[in-house]
Amino acid sequence: MKIAIIGYGNMANALLNGILSSNDNIVSDSIYIFHNKKNDTYSQDKCIFLNSGQACNKKFDIILLCVKPKDIESAINENKNIFEDNQVLVSIIAGITIESIKKTIEKKVSVVRAMPNLCAIFNESITGICSDDSLSSDKKKYIEDIFRTIGHLKEIKEDEMNSFTALFGSGPAYIMYFIEALIDSEEFSSISKEDKSLLILHLLSSTSKMLFITEDIKELRSKVTSKGGTTEAAIKTLEENNFPKILKKAISNARRKSLEISK
Ligand SMILES: NC(=O)c1ccc[n+]([C@@H]2O[C@H](COP(=O)([O-])OP(=O)(O)OC[C@H]3O[C@@H](n4cnc5c(N)ncnc54)[C@H](OP(=O)(O)O)[C@@H]3O)[C@@H](O)[C@H]2O)c1
């Protein structure tokens, strides 16, 4: 398959690294990258970097759109001549619907929307993916293989995209916020902040490993929360202060925001 990428920032970089470092030899042809940086044309590692597709006469099967939402129109206009019927456009742009991409492109293309998260940088993304019905099954599988190079993949319906974004797109920041609060707690402040942070990260990593082999997380937590013990005292405080309710509200506000942005 011949692949082009429009926009070369954090996410495109993560995707490209994932594709190139995959053992599955996903691409045999060079990948073209249109990055919008004036007079900056070079090739490296099966990649050809060009300012735009304006003077490019190559044909592409798949074009990945990796610009910010505000730049989608300029990115499409500046690369107009590389779009043609029967291509697949893969957009990772938050909040831009399949329908609106099809309208803007004005060609008979199939569109895939994918929502990776920040952990794509370490090939540990949780990516939600949906496509329009016109996508053939072999191309669908090929595109899924591309996103598997940067982590885990979940096929979703387009109307679940806002929910998915609220939970998994913003998810890393919720976990970071919780970790920050543990680090900032007044307990065990006799050691340096760096040492405390490292211990808390080990706590996160070991707990997460344990949860992967646990069938029922709530049941396990109840088991380790002894009646009248220290953990119970802490959990009781979190519950009395509506921690679960606040978190639910925070996530539903993220979903609402995602919906608002997509309008
Ligand atoms: N970062 C995340 O965690 C994340 C997660 C899921 C989805 N996304 C989505 O992924 C997309 C990219 O995010 P990002 O974090 O990678 O952004 P980014 O680092 O800002 O990358 C976007 C790149 O697109 C370039 N660009 C702008 N206009 C262009 C044009 N006309 N032609 C070609 N390139 C152009 C920008 O160049 P200039 O700097 O010169 O403008 C920039 O290098 C966004 O739509 C975002 O919603 C991001």
Side-chain angles (χ1 to χ4, degrees):
M1 296 269 183
K2 295 185 173 41
I3 300 179
I5 297 177
I6 300 180
Y8 188 59
N10 300 316
M11 278 294 133
N13 188 264
L15 262 171
L16 197 61
N17 284 337
I19 295 170
L20 295 177
S21 60
S22 157
N23 294 327
D24 297 337
N25 287 327
I26 291 189
V27 283
S28 45
D29 295 287
S30 290
I31 300 176
Y32 278 69
I33 295 124
F34 305 113
H35 56 62
N36 200 32
K37 307 278 179 286
K38 292 271 170 284
N39 305 323
D40 208 357
T41 298
Y42 54 99
S43 334
Q44 67 181 46
D45 287 344
K46 281 168 81 180
C47 297
I48 294 166
F49 291 82
L50 298 170
N51 168 35
S52 87
Q54 235 157 20
C56 179
N57 54 12
K58 292 275 170 199
K59 302 250 177 238
F60 300 105
D61 302 298
I62 296 171
I63 300 178
L64 292 140
L65 299 172
C66 300
V67 296
K68 292 271 190 210
K70 68 175 178 54
D71 294 322
I72 183 164
E73 284 197 15
S74 66
I76 287 174
N77 284 331
E78 286 159 23
N79 294 284
K80 227 175 183 103
N81 66 311
I82 65 165
F83 297 111
E84 52 190 347
D85 289 346
N86 302 320
Q87 276 171 335
V88 185
L89 299 192
V90 182
S91 165
I92 62 161
I93 306 171
I96 309 284
T97 62
I98 291 177
E99 195 190 340
S100 87
I101 293 171
K102 284 192 154 186
K103 249 190 215 153
T104 320
I105 295 283
E106 295 173 333
K107 298 276 178 198
K108 280 190 190 137
V109 291
S110 300
V111 177
V112 176
R113 267 183 84 185
M115 181 52 56
N117 72 8
L118 186 64
C119 305
I121 297 163
F122 307 102
N123 297 347
E124 286 288 348
S125 173
I126 299 164
T127 304
I129 194 162
C130 61
S131 51
D132 74 51
D133 297 337
S134 64
L135 186 69
S136 67
S137 56
D138 58 328
K139 285 198 176 139
K140 185 171 175 226
K141 187 188 169 302
Y142 186 83
I143 289 159
E144 287 173 354
D145 285 345
I146 290 181
F147 282 96
R148 277 198 192 94
T149 68
I150 55 161
H152 314 277
L153 198 64
K154 179 73 189 156
E155 187 171 358
I156 58 174
K157 296 192 195 100
E158 189 172 26
D159 63 10
E160 293 171 322
M161 199 48 107
N162 296 315
S163 265
F164 189 90
T165 304
L167 200 51
F168 299 105
S170 307
Y174 308 151
I175 311 278
M176 288 180 222
Y177 194 73
F178 189 71
I179 297 286
E180 278 173 57
L182 290 180
I183 294 170
D184 289 342
S185 70
E186 280 162 11
E187 309 313 320
F188 203 47
S189 296
S190 51
I191 60 166
S192 70
K193 203 166 180 174
E194 288 73 30
D195 285 348
K196 192 171 163 188
S197 305
L198 196 62
L199 289 178
I200 287 170
L201 289 184
H202 282 303
L203 176 71
L204 177 74
S205 151
S206 52
T207 309
S208 149
K209 275 182 195 147
M210 183 169 61
L211 295 186
F212 268 111
I213 53 163
T214 301
E215 256 178 47
D216 189 329
I217 295 176
K218 199 168 179 173
E219 192 184 291
L220 175 66
R221 189 184 47 79
S222 297
K223 253 191 216 164
V224 298
T225 310
S226 325
K227 278 247 164 309
T230 54
T231 313
E232 189 192 54
I235 301 282
K236 216 170 158 191
T237 312
L238 288 173
E239 277 173 354
E240 280 167 5
N241 285 280
N242 282 330
F243 181 75
K245 206 168 160 192
I246 292 170
L247 196 57
K248 270 185 203 156
K249 192 170 174 196
I251 299 169
S252 78
N253 277 342
R255 176 182 40 73
R256 226 167 281 140
K257 189 71 191 175
S258 175
L259 180 69
E260 199 181 299
I261 294 168
S262 65
K263 277 184 181 161

PDB file of all heavy atoms in Angstrom, residues 180-200:
ATOM      1  N   GLU A 180      -0.191  12.748  41.008  1.00  0.00           N
ATOM      2  CA  GLU A 180       0.303  14.035  41.547  1.00  0.00           C
ATOM      3  C   GLU A 180      -0.197  14.234  42.971  1.00  0.00           C
ATOM      4  O   GLU A 180       0.547  14.672  43.853  1.00  0.00           O
ATOM      5  CB  GLU A 180      -0.250  15.203  40.719  1.00  0.00           C
ATOM      6  CG  GLU A 180       0.489  15.517  39.449  1.00  0.00           C
ATOM      7  CD  GLU A 180      -0.293  16.588  38.672  1.00  0.00           C
ATOM      8  OE1 GLU A 180      -0.550  17.682  39.214  1.00  0.00           O
ATOM      9  OE2 GLU A 180      -0.686  16.293  37.536  1.00  0.00           O
ATOM     10  N   ALA A 181      -1.491  13.906  43.187  1.00  0.00           N
ATOM     11  CA  ALA A 181      -2.080  14.101  44.523  1.00  0.00           C
ATOM     12  C   ALA A 181      -1.408  13.181  45.540  1.00  0.00           C
ATOM     13  O   ALA A 181      -1.162  13.590  46.683  1.00  0.00           O
ATOM     14  CB  ALA A 181      -3.585  13.854  44.470  1.00  0.00           C
ATOM     15  N   LEU A 182      -1.087  11.947  45.138  1.00  0.00           N
ATOM     16  CA  LEU A 182      -0.394  11.037  46.059  1.00  0.00           C
ATOM     17  C   LEU A 182       0.996  11.590  46.386  1.00  0.00           C
ATOM     18  O   LEU A 182       1.430  11.587  47.551  1.00  0.00           O
ATOM     19  CB  LEU A 182      -0.255   9.638  45.447  1.00  0.00           C
ATOM     20  CG  LEU A 182      -1.533   8.799  45.299  1.00  0.00           C
ATOM     21  CD1 LEU A 182      -1.201   7.445  44.679  1.00  0.00           C
ATOM     22  CD2 LEU A 182      -2.207   8.578  46.641  1.00  0.00           C
ATOM     23  N   ILE A 183       1.674  12.088  45.344  1.00  0.00           N
ATOM     24  CA  ILE A 183       3.028  12.631  45.562  1.00  0.00           C
ATOM     25  C   ILE A 183       2.963  13.842  46.503  1.00  0.00           C
ATOM     26  O   ILE A 183       3.805  14.009  47.390  1.00  0.00           O
ATOM     27  CB  ILE A 183       3.699  13.003  44.206  1.00  0.00           C
ATOM     28  CG1 ILE A 183       3.948  11.736  43.387  1.00  0.00           C
ATOM     29  CG2 ILE A 183       5.011  13.769  44.430  1.00  0.00           C
ATOM     30  CD1 ILE A 183       4.377  11.976  41.950  1.00  0.00           C
ATOM     31  N   ASP A 184       1.934  14.674  46.298  1.00  0.00           N
ATOM     32  CA  ASP A 184       1.817  15.905  47.106  1.00  0.00           C
ATOM     33  C   ASP A 184       1.252  15.656  48.509  1.00  0.00           C
ATOM     34  O   ASP A 184       1.160  16.586  49.308  1.00  0.00           O
ATOM     35  CB  ASP A 184       0.921  16.933  46.384  1.00  0.00           C
ATOM     36  CG  ASP A 184       1.632  17.498  45.162  1.00  0.00           C
ATOM     37  OD1 ASP A 184       2.867  17.362  45.091  1.00  0.00           O
ATOM     38  OD2 ASP A 184       0.946  18.040  44.272  1.00  0.00           O
ATOM     39  N   SER A 185       0.833  14.408  48.792  1.00  0.00           N
ATOM     40  CA  SER A 185       0.281  14.149  50.134  1.00  0.00           C
ATOM     41  C   SER A 185       1.376  14.409  51.175  1.00  0.00           C
ATOM     42  O   SER A 185       2.567  14.303  50.882  1.00  0.00           O
ATOM     43  CB  SER A 185      -0.188  12.693  50.244  1.00  0.00           C
ATOM     44  OG  SER A 185       0.931  11.837  50.258  1.00  0.00           O
ATOM     45  N   GLU A 186       0.940  14.757  52.382  1.00  0.00           N
ATOM     46  CA  GLU A 186       1.935  15.148  53.387  1.00  0.00           C
ATOM     47  C   GLU A 186       2.678  13.957  53.984  1.00  0.00           C
ATOM     48  O   GLU A 186       3.725  14.115  54.621  1.00  0.00           O
ATOM     49  CB  GLU A 186       1.246  15.945  54.501  1.00  0.00           C
ATOM     50  CG  GLU A 186       1.038  17.398  54.062  1.00  0.00           C
ATOM     51  CD  GLU A 186       0.011  18.115  54.884  1.00  0.00           C
ATOM     52  OE1 GLU A 186      -0.398  17.570  55.935  1.00  0.00           O
ATOM     53  OE2 GLU A 186      -0.393  19.209  54.464  1.00  0.00           O
ATOM     54  N   GLU A 187       2.130  12.761  53.735  1.00  0.00           N
ATOM     55  CA  GLU A 187       2.743  11.579  54.362  1.00  0.00           C
ATOM     56  C   GLU A 187       4.095  11.235  53.728  1.00  0.00           C
ATOM     57  O   GLU A 187       4.314  11.469  52.553  1.00  0.00           O
ATOM     58  CB  GLU A 187       1.809  10.365  54.214  1.00  0.00           C
ATOM     59  CG  GLU A 187       0.387  10.609  54.647  1.00  0.00           C
ATOM     60  CD  GLU A 187       0.271  11.312  55.997  1.00  0.00           C
ATOM     61  OE1 GLU A 187       1.041  10.999  56.914  1.00  0.00           O
ATOM     62  OE2 GLU A 187      -0.596  12.206  56.128  1.00  0.00           O
ATOM     63  N   PHE A 188       4.935  10.676  54.532  1.00  0.00           N
ATOM     64  CA  PHE A 188       6.242  10.169  54.120  1.00  0.00           C
ATOM     65  C   PHE A 188       7.055  11.222  53.351  1.00  0.00           C
ATOM     66  O   PHE A 188       7.596  10.976  52.274  1.00  0.00           O
ATOM     67  CB  PHE A 188       6.041   8.906  53.265  1.00  0.00           C
ATOM     68  CG  PHE A 188       7.248   8.013  53.261  1.00  0.00           C
ATOM     69  CD1 PHE A 188       7.897   7.679  54.447  1.00  0.00           C
ATOM     70  CD2 PHE A 188       7.758   7.511  52.076  1.00  0.00           C
ATOM     71  CE1 PHE A 188       9.020   6.868  54.442  1.00  0.00           C
ATOM     72  CE2 PHE A 188       8.878   6.701  52.055  1.00  0.00           C
ATOM     73  CZ  PHE A 188       9.514   6.378  53.244  1.00  0.00           C
ATOM     74  N   SER A 189       7.095  12.421  53.931  1.00  0.00           N
ATOM     75  CA  SER A 189       7.810  13.512  53.267  1.00  0.00           C
ATOM     76  C   SER A 189       9.251  13.634  53.745  1.00  0.00           C
ATOM     77  O   SER A 189       9.956  14.580  53.404  1.00  0.00           O
ATOM     78  CB  SER A 189       7.068  14.834  53.475  1.00  0.00           C
ATOM     79  OG  SER A 189       5.829  14.741  52.842  1.00  0.00           O
ATOM     80  N   SER A 190       9.673  12.626  54.503  1.00  0.00           N
ATOM     81  CA  SER A 190      11.066  12.671  54.976  1.00  0.00           C
ATOM     82  C   SER A 190      12.034  12.317  53.839  1.00  0.00           C
ATOM     83  O   SER A 190      13.205  12.640  53.896  1.00  0.00           O
ATOM     84  CB  SER A 190      11.249  11.706  56.145  1.00  0.00           C
ATOM     85  OG  SER A 190      10.749  10.443  55.786  1.00  0.00           O
ATOM     86  N   ILE A 191      11.521  11.647  52.790  1.00  0.00           N
ATOM     87  CA  ILE A 191      12.410  11.344  51.652  1.00  0.00           C
ATOM     88  C   ILE A 191      12.211  12.418  50.578  1.00  0.00           C
ATOM     89  O   ILE A 191      11.259  13.206  50.640  1.00  0.00           O
ATOM     90  CB  ILE A 191      12.157   9.929  51.062  1.00  0.00           C
ATOM     91  CG1 ILE A 191      10.718   9.778  50.545  1.00  0.00           C
ATOM     92  CG2 ILE A 191      12.483   8.848  52.060  1.00  0.00           C
ATOM     93  CD1 ILE A 191      10.509   8.549  49.670  1.00  0.00           C
ATOM     94  N   SER A 192      13.118  12.419  49.595  1.00  0.00           N
ATOM     95  CA  SER A 192      13.015  13.455  48.558  1.00  0.00           C
ATOM     96  C   SER A 192      11.771  13.212  47.697  1.00  0.00           C
ATOM     97  O   SER A 192      11.271  12.074  47.614  1.00  0.00           O
ATOM     98  CB  SER A 192      14.261  13.437  47.669  1.00  0.00           C
ATOM     99  OG  SER A 192      14.248  12.263  46.879  1.00  0.00           O
ATOM    100  N   LYS A 193      11.323  14.274  47.032  1.00  0.00           N
ATOM    101  CA  LYS A 193      10.131  14.172  46.180  1.00  0.00           C
ATOM    102  C   LYS A 193      10.391  13.169  45.044  1.00  0.00           C
ATOM    103  O   LYS A 193       9.502  12.412  44.654  1.00  0.00           O
ATOM    104  CB  LYS A 193       9.805  15.551  45.613  1.00  0.00           C
ATOM    105  CG  LYS A 193       8.373  15.689  45.208  1.00  0.00           C
ATOM    106  CD  LYS A 193       7.972  17.103  44.973  1.00  0.00           C
ATOM    107  CE  LYS A 193       6.520  17.123  44.584  1.00  0.00           C
ATOM    108  NZ  LYS A 193       5.950  18.432  44.460  1.00  0.00           N
ATOM    109  N   GLU A 194      11.639  13.159  44.538  1.00  0.00           N
ATOM    110  CA  GLU A 194      11.998  12.242  43.436  1.00  0.00           C
ATOM    111  C   GLU A 194      11.843  10.792  43.886  1.00  0.00           C
ATOM    112  O   GLU A 194      11.261   9.970  43.189  1.00  0.00           O
ATOM    113  CB  GLU A 194      13.458  12.462  42.974  1.00  0.00           C
ATOM    114  CG  GLU A 194      13.710  13.745  42.204  1.00  0.00           C
ATOM    115  CD  GLU A 194      13.671  14.981  43.087  1.00  0.00           C
ATOM    116  OE1 GLU A 194      14.014  14.869  44.293  1.00  0.00           O
ATOM    117  OE2 GLU A 194      13.282  16.050  42.594  1.00  0.00           O
ATOM    118  N   ASP A 195      12.377  10.499  45.096  1.00  0.00           N
ATOM    119  CA  ASP A 195      12.289   9.115  45.597  1.00  0.00           C
ATOM    120  C   ASP A 195      10.838   8.729  45.849  1.00  0.00           C
ATOM    121  O   ASP A 195      10.415   7.608  45.550  1.00  0.00           O
ATOM    122  CB  ASP A 195      13.096   8.961  46.907  1.00  0.00           C
ATOM    123  CG  ASP A 195      14.587   8.940  46.624  1.00  0.00           C
ATOM    124  OD1 ASP A 195      14.953   8.822  45.441  1.00  0.00           O
ATOM    125  OD2 ASP A 195      15.375   9.056  47.582  1.00  0.00           O
ATOM    126  N   LYS A 196      10.082   9.688  46.387  1.00  0.00           N
ATOM    127  CA  LYS A 196       8.669   9.405  46.675  1.00  0.00           C
ATOM    128  C   LYS A 196       7.919   9.157  45.349  1.00  0.00           C
ATOM    129  O   LYS A 196       7.124   8.214  45.241  1.00  0.00           O
ATOM    130  CB  LYS A 196       8.063  10.599  47.440  1.00  0.00           C
ATOM    131  CG  LYS A 196       6.722  10.310  48.039  1.00  0.00           C
ATOM    132  CD  LYS A 196       6.317  11.455  48.954  1.00  0.00           C
ATOM    133  CE  LYS A 196       4.853  11.445  49.258  1.00  0.00           C
ATOM    134  NZ  LYS A 196       4.433  12.644  49.983  1.00  0.00           N
ATOM    135  N   SER A 197       8.204   9.976  44.346  1.00  0.00           N
ATOM    136  CA  SER A 197       7.546   9.812  43.035  1.00  0.00           C
ATOM    137  C   SER A 197       7.852   8.436  42.472  1.00  0.00           C
ATOM    138  O   SER A 197       6.961   7.758  41.942  1.00  0.00           O
ATOM    139  CB  SER A 197       8.050  10.842  42.018  1.00  0.00           C
ATOM    140  OG  SER A 197       7.904  12.111  42.521  1.00  0.00           O
ATOM    141  N   LEU A 198       9.112   8.031  42.566  1.00  0.00           N
ATOM    142  CA  LEU A 198       9.510   6.739  42.012  1.00  0.00           C
ATOM    143  C   LEU A 198       8.787   5.590  42.718  1.00  0.00           C
ATOM    144  O   LEU A 198       8.275   4.667  42.062  1.00  0.00           O
ATOM    145  CB  LEU A 198      11.039   6.578  42.165  1.00  0.00           C
ATOM    146  CG  LEU A 198      11.665   5.486  41.333  1.00  0.00           C
ATOM    147  CD1 LEU A 198      11.471   5.750  39.842  1.00  0.00           C
ATOM    148  CD2 LEU A 198      13.168   5.395  41.633  1.00  0.00           C
ATOM    149  N   LEU A 199       8.697   5.678  44.035  1.00  0.00           N
ATOM    150  CA  LEU A 199       7.993   4.623  44.790  1.00  0.00           C
ATOM    151  C   LEU A 199       6.520   4.576  44.380  1.00  0.00           C
ATOM    152  O   LEU A 199       5.934   3.505  44.225  1.00  0.00           O
ATOM    153  CB  LEU A 199       8.117   4.872  46.295  1.00  0.00           C
ATOM    154  CG  LEU A 199       9.505   4.637  46.909  1.00  0.00           C
ATOM    155  CD1 LEU A 199       9.488   4.960  48.399  1.00  0.00           C
ATOM    156  CD2 LEU A 199       9.957   3.196  46.701  1.00  0.00           C
ATOM    157  N   ILE A 200       5.936   5.757  44.195  1.00  0.00           N
ATOM    158  CA  ILE A 200       4.510   5.797  43.822  1.00  0.00           C
ATOM    159  C   ILE A 200       4.312   5.228  42.412  1.00  0.00           C
ATOM    160  O   ILE A 200       3.325   4.538  42.143  1.00  0.00           O
ATOM    161  CB  ILE A 200       3.949   7.223  44.006  1.00  0.00           C
ATOM    162  CG1 ILE A 200       3.819   7.473  45.518  1.00  0.00           C
ATOM    163  CG2 ILE A 200       2.606   7.401  43.311  1.00  0.00           C
ATOM    164  CD1 ILE A 200       3.525   8.860  45.932  1.00  0.00           C
TER     165      ILE A 200
END
